[in-house]
Amino acid sequence: MDAILLQILNGLDKGSAYALIALGLTLIFGTLGVVNFAHGALFMIGAFCAVTLQRFLSLSFETVDPTQTDFLGNPLKVKTPYVEHWFGPEIGGAIIDWSVPLAILVAIPVMVAVGFIMERGLIKHFYRRPHADQILVTFGLAIVLQEIIKYFYGANPIPTPAPDMFAGSLDFGALVGMAENSIIYPYWRLVYFAFAAVIIGSVFAFLQFTTFGMVVRAGMADRETVGLLGINIDKRFTIMFGIAAAVAGLAGVMYTPINAPNYHMGMDFLVLSFVVVVVGGMGSLPGAVLAGFLLGILESFASMKEVIDLIPGINQIIIYLVAIIILLTRPRGLMGRKGVMEE
Amino acid sequence: MSNSNFTRRGVLKTSAVAGAGLALPTIFTNRANAFTNEPTGSTVTLGFNVPQTGPYADEGADELRAYQLAVEHLNGEGDGGMINTFSSKTLDGTGILGKKVEYVTGDTQTKSDAARASARSMIEKDGAIMITGGSSSGVAVAVQALCQEAGVIFMAGLTHSNDTTGKDKKANGFRHFFNSYMSGAALAPVLANAYGNDRKAYHLTADYNWGYTTEEAVRNSTEALGWETVAAVKTPLTQTDFSSYIAPVLQSGADVLVLNHYGGNMVNSLTNAVQFGLRDKMVNDKNFEIVVPLYSRLMARGAGANVKGIYGSTNWHWSLSQGFTTPDGTEVAPDAASAAFVKSFGEKYGFPPSQAAHTCYCQTILYADAVNRAGSFNPCAVVEALEGFEFDGLGNGPTLYRAEDHQCFKDVLVVRGKENPQSEFDLLEVVEVTPVGQVTYDPSIFGGDLGSCNPGA
């Protein structure tokens, strides 16, 4: 029982990441009709916003400590971050320590700008082209973006830890009266899950309860009619692209303490996120979120030793297996609408 | 009026036939020479096949730096580095057998097929007499087999699987780097000493050749000292989030987690394990511990503070150049060879070399010396010169290139993540230098057959 609870919890944070990326993908597909294979790269750029801010806040000056030597036997140059010099070790250290949450403030404008440039500069030229062309151009763009990041940051993962107060894990088992250490869950993953819930809720509320959201939803349902009413739907859709980019970027920022970011992390999530979108139903926002959590939890279950012993290799194929079964029984996905990508 | 027999179509056909003939690999047409790519001019070309793109690109870049440094030293430029401390004195800065050393590079991409293609290109098009490099056992085994077929020497780079000089060994291939068996044999006594003989281990193992041999080596060595293995779970090589594999560890009753992972896998699984607070837990009335059998300083940087206090093994570490005191109080004097290498490398590039850089530099020097001692570039003469060769002064103490499997036997370093690093390079501390006798094994235990050397053409 506790093993099952444990894997459900595990699946939630993995599902959060899938859901956030798939949500952005679906927003773009639903509004602009573009299959955006560069969406994983937006997740990666968000993560590198956190890396960049951490590096910026850690900018240091050097002082020579004659009592210590470096690897060449020369007096050691000790680095002191400027923020620690200016604000003292405690406050300066805390600012660096909180660089990941602080990166949210940086990532929002950066990601909206990246999304805007991407949409206006490249993707808008492919609106009326076949989906295969869109996939090719956005996939190419993703490769270009990740190579740029690799050029500046190298190929190795870069540690970007969470604030110290979120280190360690919650003994969830002991909390609910089970044996000690039976269900443990890292604090930061709880934060990530809560953060994802807030973002997903905000996007839904924005679309549901604002005039802007109403127009966008109308545009998603019937773009031509909304255009005939004199509403500049293209402009709104461009803004939605920026919002989708920001959602992916924020997912990336908050993911950095979970796995040290590297240039390839977007690609690692991209294919799975597309499966999530298809399983959820093309163009369906609730479907994307539901499928994200469902597949995240299933993936966690498939990683259990007992399951692998029973069906070797199941951990590598479970998501695709479930996708096949769902698409065979519900060809439009869990919550897909009639007519989307069926013309 | 002139009447030519040339037609456009005819010229094209003739060009195509001639082009095809010229494009035929020299490996198949170069029958006049005694062996493949026999150097006839005043230069000799070496082929450095390293990952320049892909996940191990940083490791590949460090390998390439070491190769370039070795070439400089062989050609008499720079301060000579470890050529000055090397026990064999045939290298005098005039290249190899008096020929200036040149090099070409290839990109393995850490993919076997890409690595074979780049090695083949360097042999066939660039005339490389020797291929060296790589950061993966899969690549090493694939390229080693290619070199055997082509009739050139392969001096392996970073490859740790037992198979490279075990079941997949080849007469034309040589490995300076240590292997999984040696890691297990060196680590187990240190672990038993630090954590006791009554331990329950849980293994997470990368689902490929290197992972299997490492798990097997560590299991065998630790079980022989009384540890129990409660579970061993294979994880996909492409896995990035290991939480679902780590979460059940505490429920299993294990009090040690062994991460048979390398590179990005190691960084992520270790980060996840620390996030889950495993090291803060008490299980079976003991502190929960984590072990990483193969450490790489470049990779340890990715794991950041998570490596603190965690044991592992390494082929070489730059701190040997400064000397150190082990936890049991043993004073280890600075190693002159390591100091010479760190100085050369550090002054040229501004940071200390990695173990990958060290092994690649050594392999280049060892090959050049073997050619000089043999008096020939013929691969069979080089094989004969390297087999059973005993040397010192390359940073690992007295070393033997064993004739039976072409594996180097030398002391192995057991390291631990440093609690209070002084700099970004100061991540690991050597806790024990395991004597070579403790990590030596019978060459027949891993099977395989060297076969006979192939000089090619």
Short mmCIF file of all heavy atoms in Angstrom, two decimals, chain B residues 53-84:
data_model
loop_
_atom_site.label_atom_id
_atom_site.label_comp_id
_atom_site.label_asym_id
_atom_site.label_seq_id
_atom_site.Cartn_x
_atom_site.Cartn_y
_atom_site.Cartn_z
N THR B 53 30.92 16.45 -29.74
CA THR B 53 29.53 16.86 -29.55
C THR B 53 28.86 15.80 -28.69
O THR B 53 29.42 14.73 -28.46
CB THR B 53 28.78 16.98 -30.89
OG1 THR B 53 28.87 15.71 -31.56
CG2 THR B 53 29.37 18.05 -31.77
N GLY B 54 27.66 16.09 -28.22
CA GLY B 54 26.93 15.13 -27.40
C GLY B 54 27.23 15.33 -25.92
O GLY B 54 27.93 16.25 -25.52
N PRO B 55 26.68 14.41 -25.10
CA PRO B 55 26.72 14.63 -23.65
C PRO B 55 28.11 14.62 -23.02
O PRO B 55 28.30 15.15 -21.94
CB PRO B 55 25.87 13.49 -23.10
CG PRO B 55 25.85 12.46 -24.18
CD PRO B 55 25.96 13.21 -25.46
N TYR B 56 29.09 13.99 -23.66
CA TYR B 56 30.43 13.93 -23.06
C TYR B 56 31.40 14.88 -23.77
O TYR B 56 32.61 14.68 -23.76
CB TYR B 56 30.99 12.50 -23.10
CG TYR B 56 30.22 11.53 -22.24
CD1 TYR B 56 30.28 10.16 -22.45
CD2 TYR B 56 29.41 11.98 -21.20
CE1 TYR B 56 29.57 9.27 -21.66
CE2 TYR B 56 28.69 11.12 -20.42
CZ TYR B 56 28.77 9.76 -20.65
OH TYR B 56 28.05 8.89 -19.85
N ALA B 57 30.84 15.93 -24.39
CA ALA B 57 31.69 16.84 -25.18
C ALA B 57 32.75 17.53 -24.32
O ALA B 57 33.87 17.76 -24.77
CB ALA B 57 30.82 17.88 -25.88
N ASP B 58 32.40 17.85 -23.07
CA ASP B 58 33.38 18.52 -22.21
C ASP B 58 34.54 17.58 -21.88
O ASP B 58 35.70 17.99 -21.82
CB ASP B 58 32.72 19.00 -20.91
CG ASP B 58 31.89 20.25 -21.15
OD1 ASP B 58 31.82 20.70 -22.31
OD2 ASP B 58 31.29 20.75 -20.18
N GLU B 59 34.21 16.32 -21.64
CA GLU B 59 35.25 15.32 -21.37
C GLU B 59 36.12 15.14 -22.62
O GLU B 59 37.35 15.04 -22.54
CB GLU B 59 34.60 13.99 -21.00
CG GLU B 59 35.48 13.12 -20.14
CD GLU B 59 34.64 12.22 -19.24
OE1 GLU B 59 33.71 11.58 -19.75
OE2 GLU B 59 34.93 12.16 -18.03
N GLY B 60 35.46 15.11 -23.78
CA GLY B 60 36.19 14.99 -25.05
C GLY B 60 37.11 16.18 -25.27
O GLY B 60 38.24 16.03 -25.75
N ALA B 61 36.63 17.37 -24.90
CA ALA B 61 37.47 18.57 -25.07
C ALA B 61 38.72 18.47 -24.21
O ALA B 61 39.81 18.87 -24.63
CB ALA B 61 36.66 19.81 -24.69
N ASP B 62 38.56 17.93 -23.01
CA ASP B 62 39.73 17.78 -22.13
C ASP B 62 40.70 16.74 -22.68
O ASP B 62 41.92 16.88 -22.58
CB ASP B 62 39.27 17.39 -20.72
CG ASP B 62 40.07 18.11 -19.64
OD1 ASP B 62 40.41 19.30 -19.86
OD2 ASP B 62 40.37 17.51 -18.60
N GLU B 63 40.15 15.68 -23.28
CA GLU B 63 41.01 14.68 -23.92
C GLU B 63 41.81 15.31 -25.05
O GLU B 63 43.02 15.07 -25.19
CB GLU B 63 40.15 13.51 -24.46
CG GLU B 63 39.50 12.66 -23.37
CD GLU B 63 38.78 11.45 -23.91
OE1 GLU B 63 38.70 11.28 -25.15
OE2 GLU B 63 38.29 10.64 -23.10
N LEU B 64 41.12 16.11 -25.83
CA LEU B 64 41.78 16.74 -26.98
C LEU B 64 42.90 17.69 -26.52
O LEU B 64 43.97 17.75 -27.13
CB LEU B 64 40.75 17.50 -27.82
CG LEU B 64 41.05 17.69 -29.30
CD1 LEU B 64 41.49 16.41 -29.97
CD2 LEU B 64 39.83 18.26 -30.00
N ARG B 65 42.64 18.40 -25.44
CA ARG B 65 43.69 19.28 -24.89
C ARG B 65 44.93 18.46 -24.53
O ARG B 65 46.06 18.86 -24.81
CB ARG B 65 43.18 19.99 -23.63
CG ARG B 65 42.12 21.02 -23.89
CD ARG B 65 41.72 21.73 -22.59
NE ARG B 65 40.45 22.42 -22.78
CZ ARG B 65 39.29 22.02 -22.28
NH1 ARG B 65 39.22 20.97 -21.49
NH2 ARG B 65 38.19 22.69 -22.54
N ALA B 66 44.69 17.32 -23.91
CA ALA B 66 45.81 16.47 -23.49
C ALA B 66 46.57 15.94 -24.71
O ALA B 66 47.81 15.87 -24.71
CB ALA B 66 45.30 15.31 -22.64
N TYR B 67 45.84 15.55 -25.74
CA TYR B 67 46.49 15.05 -26.96
C TYR B 67 47.35 16.14 -27.60
O TYR B 67 48.47 15.89 -28.04
CB TYR B 67 45.43 14.57 -27.96
CG TYR B 67 44.82 13.23 -27.62
CD1 TYR B 67 43.44 13.05 -27.62
CD2 TYR B 67 45.62 12.12 -27.32
CE1 TYR B 67 42.88 11.82 -27.31
CE2 TYR B 67 45.06 10.89 -27.02
CZ TYR B 67 43.69 10.75 -27.02
OH TYR B 67 43.13 9.53 -26.72
N GLN B 68 46.79 17.34 -27.66
CA GLN B 68 47.55 18.45 -28.27
C GLN B 68 48.81 18.73 -27.46
O GLN B 68 49.89 19.00 -28.02
CB GLN B 68 46.67 19.70 -28.35
CG GLN B 68 45.61 19.57 -29.42
CD GLN B 68 44.46 20.56 -29.27
OE1 GLN B 68 44.27 21.14 -28.21
NE2 GLN B 68 43.68 20.72 -30.32
N LEU B 69 48.69 18.62 -26.14
CA LEU B 69 49.86 18.82 -25.28
C LEU B 69 50.90 17.72 -25.53
O LEU B 69 52.11 17.99 -25.63
CB LEU B 69 49.41 18.80 -23.81
CG LEU B 69 50.42 19.24 -22.76
CD1 LEU B 69 50.74 20.73 -22.92
CD2 LEU B 69 49.86 19.01 -21.35
N ALA B 70 50.42 16.49 -25.65
CA ALA B 70 51.34 15.37 -25.89
C ALA B 70 52.07 15.55 -27.22
O ALA B 70 53.28 15.30 -27.31
CB ALA B 70 50.56 14.05 -25.89
N VAL B 71 51.34 15.99 -28.24
CA VAL B 71 51.97 16.21 -29.56
C VAL B 71 53.04 17.29 -29.45
O VAL B 71 54.15 17.15 -29.97
CB VAL B 71 50.90 16.58 -30.61
CG1 VAL B 71 51.54 17.08 -31.89
CG2 VAL B 71 50.01 15.38 -30.90
N GLU B 72 52.71 18.37 -28.74
CA GLU B 72 53.72 19.43 -28.52
C GLU B 72 54.97 18.85 -27.88
O GLU B 72 56.09 19.12 -28.31
CB GLU B 72 53.15 20.50 -27.58
CG GLU B 72 52.33 21.55 -28.26
CD GLU B 72 51.86 22.62 -27.27
OE1 GLU B 72 52.49 22.76 -26.20
OE2 GLU B 72 50.86 23.27 -27.58
N HIS B 73 54.77 18.08 -26.84
CA HIS B 73 55.91 17.54 -26.11
C HIS B 73 56.71 16.56 -26.97
O HIS B 73 57.94 16.55 -26.94
CB HIS B 73 55.44 16.86 -24.82
CG HIS B 73 54.90 17.83 -23.81
ND1 HIS B 73 54.23 17.46 -22.67
CD2 HIS B 73 54.93 19.20 -23.79
CE1 HIS B 73 53.87 18.53 -21.98
NE2 HIS B 73 54.28 19.60 -22.64
N LEU B 74 56.01 15.76 -27.76
CA LEU B 74 56.72 14.80 -28.63
C LEU B 74 57.55 15.55 -29.68
O LEU B 74 58.63 15.08 -30.06
CB LEU B 74 55.71 13.88 -29.33
CG LEU B 74 55.03 12.84 -28.44
CD1 LEU B 74 53.93 12.11 -29.20
CD2 LEU B 74 56.04 11.83 -27.89
N ASN B 75 57.04 16.70 -30.12
CA ASN B 75 57.76 17.47 -31.16
C ASN B 75 58.78 18.44 -30.57
O ASN B 75 59.32 19.29 -31.28
CB ASN B 75 56.75 18.25 -32.01
CG ASN B 75 55.97 17.32 -32.94
OD1 ASN B 75 56.46 16.25 -33.31
ND2 ASN B 75 54.77 17.72 -33.30
N GLY B 76 58.99 18.34 -29.26
CA GLY B 76 60.04 19.16 -28.65
C GLY B 76 59.59 20.56 -28.26
O GLY B 76 60.43 21.41 -27.95
N GLU B 77 58.28 20.79 -28.27
CA GLU B 77 57.79 22.12 -27.85
C GLU B 77 57.34 22.05 -26.39
O GLU B 77 57.12 20.97 -25.86
CB GLU B 77 56.61 22.54 -28.74
CG GLU B 77 56.97 22.66 -30.21
CD GLU B 77 55.77 22.53 -31.13
OE1 GLU B 77 54.63 22.71 -30.65
OE2 GLU B 77 55.97 22.21 -32.30
N GLY B 78 57.19 23.20 -25.76
CA GLY B 78 56.73 23.23 -24.37
C GLY B 78 57.80 22.72 -23.42
O GLY B 78 58.98 22.61 -23.79
N ASP B 79 57.35 22.39 -22.20
CA ASP B 79 58.34 21.98 -21.18
C ASP B 79 58.58 20.47 -21.13
O ASP B 79 59.32 19.99 -20.29
CB ASP B 79 57.89 22.49 -19.80
CG ASP B 79 56.55 21.90 -19.37
OD1 ASP B 79 56.04 20.99 -20.04
OD2 ASP B 79 56.00 22.36 -18.35
N GLY B 80 57.95 19.74 -22.00
CA GLY B 80 58.21 18.30 -22.06
C GLY B 80 57.32 17.47 -21.18
O GLY B 80 57.19 16.26 -21.37
N GLY B 81 56.67 18.09 -20.20
CA GLY B 81 55.70 17.39 -19.36
C GLY B 81 56.22 16.09 -18.79
O GLY B 81 57.33 16.02 -18.25
N MET B 82 55.45 15.03 -18.91
CA MET B 82 55.82 13.74 -18.30
C MET B 82 56.86 12.98 -19.11
O MET B 82 57.31 11.92 -18.66
CB MET B 82 54.56 12.89 -18.08
CG MET B 82 53.73 13.35 -16.89
SD MET B 82 52.60 12.09 -16.26
CE MET B 82 51.34 12.07 -17.49
N ILE B 83 57.24 13.51 -20.29
CA ILE B 83 58.33 12.86 -21.01
C ILE B 83 59.60 12.92 -20.14
O ILE B 83 60.42 12.00 -20.14
CB ILE B 83 58.56 13.55 -22.38
CG1 ILE B 83 57.41 13.18 -23.33
CG2 ILE B 83 59.91 13.15 -22.98
CD1 ILE B 83 57.51 13.83 -24.69
N ASN B 84 59.69 13.99 -19.36
CA ASN B 84 60.88 14.16 -18.49
C ASN B 84 60.89 13.17 -17.34
O ASN B 84 61.96 12.84 -16.81
CB ASN B 84 60.92 15.59 -17.92
CG ASN B 84 60.97 16.62 -19.02
OD1 ASN B 84 61.66 16.43 -20.01
ND2 ASN B 84 60.24 17.72 -18.85
#
